[in-house]
Amino acid sequence: MTAEEFVARLDTDTQRLLRNLAPDDTLRPEVQGDLTVLNLLKVALKNEIEATEIAGRWLVTTDDIPVKLAFARQVGDEAKHYRMIAERLRALGFDGAGFDPLAKGYGPLFTYLMTLTTTVERVAAGQFTREAIAVVKNRQFIEFCEHAGDRETATMYRDVIEPDERYHHELGRSLLLRLAVTPEAQAAAAAAARKTLALADELQRAALTTAGIHHAPGC
Ligand SMILES: [Fe+2]
Ligand SMILES: [Fe+2]
């Protein structure tokens, strides 16, 4: 398979599996339990700091200059998202001073991504797939914010965060077109992408059953 054919197939498979991430529940912005924009933004802080750190660690462990630059761009964007979300939380009345989103440790997806050693796997899982998931989750979150009457958070996601995450996904796509050129590289990339989607699906189910959380934004 050519790299173009491989990426097209990966795209189709990813989009098909991503439909599973759409919550079955209809939107419930009337805030049942802890499902509020504020609490979902706290989940977002953890996602953004993890995304910052993943890209930062990979930036220094690759010799490939375009890949380095792609991760560097991502580090800056994810850190910017963290700051914007923290500022929005402050406006909503949450004082983030002393709040450590990593106090309970890193999540399972972060832990899995840290096991990946080849650039093609990292780009397939961390950029192409994780960021495709983010785009879908952010669209759902924007809808949730609008139903909850929080226009400002919706606008922040629509105008800045979601376009950035889409750009990270596209960075992953262009790097894969150059990197996924052998059957071995394609197999490794596909496996890493599949595992990332499976973990995201599993985590979403767990969040729904244990904390009633759906519509949590991605990064
Ligand atoms: Fe991102
Ligand atoms: Fe982000």
Side-chain angles (χ1 to χ4, degrees), residues 12-13 22 28 30 34 36 52 54 63 67 76 78 81 91 104 107 118-119 124 132 147 151 156 167 182 208 212 214:
T12 311
D13 291 351
R28 282 183 300 160
E30 59 274 28
D34 290 335
T36 62
T52 307
I54 291 161
D63 295 327
V67 173
E78 310 297 10
H81 300 162
K104 289 182 185 161
T118 68
T119 301
H147 278 76
R151 284 249 180 89
M156 177 177 85
Y167 184 74
T182 64
L208 193 58
H214 50 84

Side-chain angles (χ1 to χ4, degrees), residues 125-157:
Q127 287 192 318
F128 186 86
T129 305
R130 190 173 189 274
E131 299 291 333
I133 294 167
V135 168
V136 169
K137 294 188 116 190
N138 288 343
R139 280 200 201 121
Q140 293 166 356
F141 182 61
I142 289 164
E143 216 181 307
F144 177 86
C145 291
E146 275 168 351
H147 278 76
D150 188 338
R151 284 249 180 89
E152 227 167 299
T153 304
T155 303
M156 177 177 85
Y157 268 84

Side-chain angles (χ1 to χ4, degrees), residues 91-103:
L92 290 170
F94 175 75
D95 179 15
F99 176 69
D100 176 5
L102 294 175

Side-chain angles (χ1 to χ4, degrees), residues 48 78 81 165 219:
E48 298 291 356
E78 310 297 10
H81 300 162
E165 312 303 14
C219 55

Side-chain angles (χ1 to χ4, degrees), residues 76-89:
D77 288 344
E78 310 297 10
K80 177 184 74 179
H81 300 162
Y82 187 98
R83 180 179 51 75
M84 291 175 75
I85 294 164
E87 280 167 10
R88 183 69 196 130
L89 276 166

